[in-house]
Amino acid sequence: MIYLDHSATSPLLPEVKSAMIDAMNMELGNTSSLHSTGTRARDLLESARKKVACLINADPSEIIFTSGGSESNNTVMHIFAGQPIAVSAIEHPSVLEPALEYASRLTKIPVDENGRIKTELFPTESRLVSVMLANNELGTLEPIATDDKYKFHTDATQALGKIPIDVKALGVDYLTASAHKIGGPVGVGLLYVKKGAPFRPLILGGAQEHHRRAGTTPLVNILGFAAAAEYAEKHKTWELYEKNIRPLKNALAKRILKEIPHSSLNSPLENSLPNILNVSFAAAEGESIQLYLDTMGGIEVSTGSACASSDAKPSHVLMATKNDVEVAHSSIRFSFGLDAKEDDIDKIMKILPNIIKRLQGISTIKIKE
Amino acid sequence: MTENSTDSANPFAYSDLVKEHFLNPKNFLMGDESKFAYDAKGIVGNPICGDQMLMFLKIKDDKIEDVKWKTYGCASAIASTSALSELAKGKTLDDALAISADDIAEYLGGLPKHKFHCSVLGHDALRAAIQSYRKKS
């Protein structure tokens, strides 16, 4: 099996697994309890908070542990309920849907064909602007344009571990990140809230996280997240991605364009994450491509085709960038992990051209020359 | 894709027969339609919605002597058009007209519910082909 869907979720790192098993073998108490077991749990929690804070250069007091990226995004949109909010047109649904739910007026900021936001179109009357650091389908890096006129949130779920992140340098007020995209467990994430930025809890009913997020602390998950953050920091994974993975992404892009007729890139190769490559193949449908790759070569990828989505709609990201349903239906996303090898590219290119040739050959769509 | 709006429907919800017809489709027409001397042609679907099928029939003595097809669409669209071509081959035009979406799904050992309406369209293309043939002759 060649797993090239790391943007969906990444496998648990061995370091994370052993940290979590160690935690499960300890007698962990409730972090809110006053006895010794509770105190020990609290100490572990605070050391974990320091580790994840360190990864994004935040103060530990600025970190709130959440159940994941979706909760962090929902929390930020909820803070600005009843106020005008602006978001990029290619945000994750966990930004788009709560923004639509809570904003007094929602502005969607358009993007160019590479998925880059047009910063000159920022509506300055908005109280909150939310623009992701890197797009999950394309890998496009977005410019962060903070301003005194509005608070700024960035969803860094895909960017974490792939590029260096420093909240102070970015100057953002809020930042979302998730453990399972960097080899941590599913079910835990963080919300960075800059000291002094407005806050209002989404989940009420407990004093945990300094009254900012109620609910008994899921310490095993949090310790797993901290182990993943420590791994990223120790190995400077963003440097490894840049050095080892970007050349593979570029090589695959080049070979696809050269060896497969009527293929096109949806991902930009400049100003993009080192590990995401999104491509389309005229007249071939994405779910079929995905399933052929999987059953014939054990190559696991994802697609923006409506046929593979739960709501039967093509990718809103590709519709915003390319505005072409066929491009969206025929898209395939490769997202590499650090274990990717040159040999993987050879294996893809051994079967992909024939898959596309067959699908284009039996397609009802006549390809425009 | 994933983690996001790309959260895909589980492809392994497909039956073994669907997989077989997807991996080794029968009677498909590769390349230009001029390669097959057909007597009637029918089309259904719309690439905007994600699925489109074309059926080509060779007809002799009111019987479907040979069938070819083209499909743009997902795995179940390809498999169900392949299955339909097997069902239709050798049938009289009247019998072929009676083939329903349920017949195709049954032949394939079932299809995922959410896939049924968008991918089992081929029988409409088949009917359109037969009707156009009858109008001509």
Side-chain angles (χ1 to χ4, degrees):
Chain A
M1 182 188 78
I2 302 175
Y3 182 77
L4 298 177
D5 202 12
H6 287 254
S7 295
T9 195
S10 58
L12 278 187
L13 289 165
E15 290 81 352
V16 170
K17 218 179 276 179
S18 72
M20 291 177 77
I21 290 169
D22 287 350
M24 279 185 257
N25 285 328
M26 274 187 258
E27 279 175 25
L28 286 178
N30 188 322
T31 55
S32 304
S33 302
L34 296 178
H35 44 61
S36 310
T37 310
T39 306
R40 205 161 54 235
R42 214 153 42 241
D43 289 347
L44 285 169
L45 171 65
E46 293 316 314
S47 81
R49 198 185 307 278
K50 264 185 211 151
K51 285 176 190 165
V52 301
C54 177
L55 183 59
I56 58 171
N57 194 27
D59 189 274
S61 67
E62 296 172 312
I63 300 291
I64 302 172
F65 284 113
T66 66
S67 64
S70 292
E71 184 191 322
S72 298
N73 288 339
N74 270 263
T75 302
V76 176
M77 299 306 126
H78 178 251
I79 298 168
F80 291 85
Q83 301 179 54
I85 297 176
V87 303
S88 89
I90 59 168
E91 290 303 302
H92 189 268
S94 63
V95 167
L96 287 171
E97 287 181 29
L100 192 62
E101 176 75 20
Y102 296 128
S104 61
R105 192 174 63 254
L106 177 66
T107 309
K108 282 193 193 169
I109 311 161
V111 293
D112 68 15
E113 58 163 24
N114 285 322
R116 273 179 84 79
I117 192 166
K118 296 172 181 169
T119 48
E120 69 276 14
L121 297 178
F122 274 22
T124 47
E125 75 281 8
S126 290
R127 307 310 306 152
L128 174 71
V129 172
S130 181
V131 178
M132 62 209 329
L133 205 48
N135 181 264
N136 52 315
E137 293 187 32
L138 307 174
T140 308
L141 298 182
E142 299 295 344
I144 300 302
T146 56
D147 194 304
D148 290 343
K149 295 193 187 85
Y150 46 75
K151 298 293 173 193
F152 202 102
H153 167 247
T154 191
D155 178 355
T157 302
Q158 290 295 338
L160 190 70
K162 315 296 187 300
I163 57 170
I165 297 177
D166 178 334
V167 286
K168 293 196 171 70
L170 287 170
V172 295
D173 300 284
Y174 309 94
L175 179 141
T176 290
S178 170
H180 74 107
K181 310 289 191 192
I182 60 164
V186 174
V188 61
L190 68 80
L191 176 61
Y192 159 80
V193 181
K194 189 183 184 174
K195 229 169 254 160
F199 193 78
R200 180 183 173 204
L202 179 66
I203 298 178
L204 302 169
Q208 291 88 355
E209 301 297 293
H210 299 280
H211 296 274
R212 293 179 297 182
R213 201 276 186 185
T216 304
T217 314
L219 197 49
V220 173
N221 261 357
I222 288 172
L223 293 173
F225 189 4
E230 202 173 20
Y231 181 92
E233 182 74 32
K234 184 177 156 198
H235 297 275
K236 293 195 167 38
T237 49
W238 45 92
E239 288 181 4
L240 297 177
Y241 273 104
E242 204 51 50
K243 185 168 148 254
N244 302 327
I245 305 304
R246 189 180 295 282
L248 295 183
K249 166 185 162 168
N250 289 345
L252 180 60
K254 203 173 155 189
R255 283 192 64 181
I256 285 175
L257 290 178
K258 194 173 160 209
E259 296 172 36
I260 303 182
H262 311 292
S263 55
S264 60
L265 302 186
N266 299 318
S267 296
L269 297 181
E270 305 289 325
N271 292 316
S272 64
L273 288 183
N275 69 318
I276 296 183
L277 181 68
N278 193 314
V279 291
S280 282
F281 305 95
E285 191 279 323
E287 194 218 57
S288 288
I289 304 170
Q290 177 191 0
L291 207 52
Y292 275 132
L293 281 171
D294 193 351
T295 49
M296 291 168 66
I299 297 164
E300 299 184 326
V301 299
S302 67
T303 169
S305 169
C307 295
S309 76
S310 46
D311 59 1
K313 284 192 183 130
S315 147
H316 71 286
V317 174
L318 287 166
M319 291 308 290
T321 52
K322 305 292 180 194
N323 194 26
D324 184 332
V325 184
E326 272 181 50
V327 169
H329 281 321
S330 70
S331 67
I332 287 292
R333 179 188 66 181
F334 301 92
S335 54
F336 299 96
L338 280 175
D339 58 343
K341 309 176 289 294
E342 236 179 277
D343 184 48
D344 297 341
I345 308 298
D346 293 335
K347 283 184 176 138
I348 295 167
M349 292 311 292
K350 210 169 172 181
I351 63 171
L352 185 59
N354 286 329
I355 291 170
I356 302 303
K357 195 175 172 190
R358 170 188 279 186
L359 287 171
Q360 288 175 337
I362 67 168
S363 180
T364 59
I365 297 177
K366 292 206 172 83
I367 299 170
K368 295 167 207 117
E369 292 295 334
Chain B
M1 293 170 222
T2 82
E3 98 284 23
N4 45 37
S5 58
T6 60
D7 268 350
S8 62
N10 178 12
F12 300 105
Y14 290 136
S15 70
D16 288 346
L17 266 167
V18 174
K19 271 195 225 168
E20 171 57 26
H21 272 272
F22 170 64
L23 290 173
N24 301 300
K26 313 270 189 294
N27 311 313
F28 60 84
L29 178 57
M30 197 71 180
D32 196 82
E33 61 187 62
S34 63
K35 287 179 183 169
F36 184 61
Y38 57 87
D39 299 304
K41 162 171 123 170
I43 189 163
V44 68
N46 182 337
I48 304 293
C49 311
D51 292 289
Q52 188 173 51
M53 289 103 177
L54 262 166
M55 300 289 299
F56 304 93
L57 308 178
K58 202 179 259 181
I59 298 167
K60 199 179 176 190
D61 300 334
D62 228 33
K63 230 176 171 181
I64 297 176
E65 205 174 38
D66 201 4
V67 189
K68 296 271 183 216
W69 55 268
K70 292 177 91 68
T71 288
Y72 168 75
C74 59
S76 70
I78 290 172
S80 63
T81 324
S82 169
L84 171 66
S85 70
E86 290 285 273
L87 279 169
K89 210 189 260 186
K91 280 209 165 58
T92 65
L93 295 186
D94 283 340
D95 285 349
L97 276 172
I99 298 172
S100 69
D102 286 330
D103 294 335
I104 300 170
E106 199 182 313
Y107 181 89
L108 286 170
L111 277 167
K113 217 177 185 172
H114 66 285
K115 288 285 182 187
F116 196 87
H117 294 287
C118 60
S119 57
V120 191
L121 300 166
H123 60 294
D124 282 337
L126 177 67
R127 281 176 201 165
I130 295 171
Q131 277 150 9
S132 83
Y133 174 78
R134 285 190 163 162
K135 253 181 223 162
K136 267 195 306 194
S137 51

